[in-house]
């Protein structure tokens, strides 16, 4: 059985104290309310990683992740944070290739492949994001776009490396827009992704890969999305900043 995961992406929100307060609420709710085998992950800004990892220590079912890392282990890269540094805080996950990184910071598939490898070399689990823009959806090139993102971004990894990767399908037109992909649209792509994994690796690897949906996911639409056979959880932006909403999404897997 592949793992069910609900990961929050705080993006560039929450100062240090606000982040601590929000995470304390989340951790208490996870302790009290999660009864299933699902994993909650909170992907916070770098400044919170160490403190939240300490708070998460006593709480089964919640882990901490970063939202980015540099592709090199160390060196003269002023202002950057390596995967090794992220790992040293106690974090276990890192988002790689979020569409905002691709769009605003020019991160392309080749660079993201290096980042995924760097994360794995530091024993972090990459949450690797893929997804098409509105234009690519409307001109029907989205299957090709996603195939290329997979091929260039993660399919260069060995089978045992890939086994540590979580994929997140996030249609760019659904991120932060309030416009969710329908359960059918999302399932269609998730099934396509799983098939691509089977073709590149094998069926067992495909069956074992956790594939998250992201894009305006909330407590109302999560049950229908997560009921799809190839959707194994969510990557949650806006709704992860409200402890009650985030927990209600995690609880879909109770
Ligand atoms: C995201 O940032 O990955 C995301 C899915 O955002 P939102 O849930 O706000 O659309």
């Amino acid at each position: 059985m592949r793992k069910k995961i609900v990961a929050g992406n705080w993006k560039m929100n929450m100062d240090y104290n606000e982040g601590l307060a929000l995470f304390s609420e989340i951790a208490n709710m996870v302790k009290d309310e999660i009864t299933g085998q699902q994993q909650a992950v909170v992907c916070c800004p770098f400044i919170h990683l160490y403190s939240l990892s300490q708070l998460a220590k006593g709480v089964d079912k919640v882990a901490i992740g970063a939202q980015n890392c540099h592709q090199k282990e160390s060196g003269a890269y002023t202002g950057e944070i390596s995967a090794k540094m992220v790992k040293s805080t106690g974090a276990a996950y890192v988002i790689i290739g979020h569409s905002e990184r691709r769009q605003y910071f020019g991160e392309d598939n080749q660079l993201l492949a290096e980042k995924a490898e760097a994360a794995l070399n530091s024993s972090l689990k990459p949450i690797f994001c893929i997804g098409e823009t509105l234009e690519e959806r409307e001109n029907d090139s989205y299957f090709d776009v996603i195939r290329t993102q997979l091929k260039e971004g993660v399919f260069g990894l060995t089978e045992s490396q890939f086994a540590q990767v979580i994929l997140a399908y996030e249609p760019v037109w659904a991120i932060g827009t309030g416009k969710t992909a329908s359960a059918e649209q999302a399932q269609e792509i998730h099934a396509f992704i799983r098939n691509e994994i089977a073709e590149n690796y094998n069926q067992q690897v495909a069956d074992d890969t956790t594939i998250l949906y992201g894009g305006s996911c909330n407590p109302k639409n999560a049950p229908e999305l997560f009921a799809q056979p190839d959707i194994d959880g969510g990557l949650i932006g806006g709704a992860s900043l409200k402890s009650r909403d985030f927990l209600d999404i995690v609880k879909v897997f109770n």
Side-chain angles (χ1 to χ4, degrees):
M1 262 286 274
R2 52 185 174 257
K3 199 156 189 63
K4 307 295 185 193
I5 296 175
V6 177
N9 174 16
W10 287 2
K11 311 194 188 199
M12 197 175 72
N13 293 298
M14 300 286 134
D15 70 18
Y16 183 72
N17 289 318
E18 289 166 346
L20 247 56
L22 173 60
F23 185 75
S24 298
E25 285 174 20
I26 290 172
N28 283 331
M29 288 177 169
V30 167
K31 252 193 253 169
D32 294 344
E33 301 178 27
I34 299 306
T35 57
Q37 294 307 308
Q38 69 272 47
Q39 173 78 61
V41 180
V42 171
C43 296
C44 56
F46 291 125
I47 61 159
H48 298 111
L49 286 173
Y50 177 74
S51 301
L52 300 200
S53 295
Q54 292 296 310
L55 290 172
K57 264 185 182 165
V59 193
D60 208 24
K61 314 249 174 76
V62 69
I64 305 302
Q67 301 169 13
N68 179 34
C69 66
H70 195 266
Q71 64 276 21
K72 295 275 197 291
E73 195 178 288
S74 62
Y77 303 101
T78 302
E80 289 294 322
I81 305 280
S82 71
K84 191 173 175 220
M85 292 169 175
V86 171
K87 179 70 183 177
S88 72
T89 65
Y93 293 81
V94 58
I95 298 173
I96 304 280
H98 190 280
S99 67
E100 289 152 17
R101 301 289 319 169
R102 292 175 186 261
Q103 188 181 347
Y104 303 134
F105 301 94
E107 298 193 357
D108 61 14
N109 294 333
Q110 285 69 28
L111 174 68
L112 296 171
E114 287 181 47
K115 290 193 175 202
E117 180 118 32
L120 290 163
N121 287 341
S122 290
S123 304
L124 286 173
K125 287 178 186 291
I127 300 175
F128 194 92
C129 302
I130 54 179
E132 80 283 2
T133 61
L134 183 59
E135 191 188 347
E136 291 159 347
R137 166 117 333 225
E138 285 175 346
N139 69 19
D140 273 340
S141 63
Y142 52 103
F143 287 111
D144 286 341
V145 168
I146 290 163
R147 182 181 284 123
T148 302
Q149 289 173 336
L150 287 167
K151 188 165 167 260
E152 297 179 354
V154 282
F155 283 174
L157 297 171
T158 65
E159 189 178 318
S160 65
Q161 285 178 313
F162 186 80
Q164 301 302 312
V165 173
I166 292 114
L167 291 175
Y169 168 59
E170 299 207 301
V172 180
W173 47 272
I175 298 178
T177 58
K179 205 171 159 187
T180 323
S182 69
E184 294 71 30
Q185 282 174 321
Q187 167 57 24
E188 180 188 38
I189 302 293
H190 281 235
F192 170 76
I193 293 168
R194 205 173 297 288
N195 193 50
E196 291 292 305
I197 300 168
E199 283 187 7
N200 193 72
Y201 295 98
N202 57 58
Q203 193 60 48
Q204 189 60 54
V205 173
D207 289 342
D208 290 346
T209 302
T210 296
I211 309 175
L212 311 180
Y213 167 78
S216 298
C217 198
N218 60 43
K220 278 212 177 85
N221 59 34
E224 193 190 355
L225 285 159
F226 295 177
Q228 302 304 309
D230 289 296
I231 300 182
D232 307 309
L235 181 54
I236 319 298
S240 74
L241 295 170
K242 295 185 193 126
S243 54
R244 184 69 269 154
D245 283 0
F246 183 58
L247 252 291
D248 284 348
I249 299 172
V250 180
K251 278 170 70 179
V252 171
F253 289 113
N254 270 1

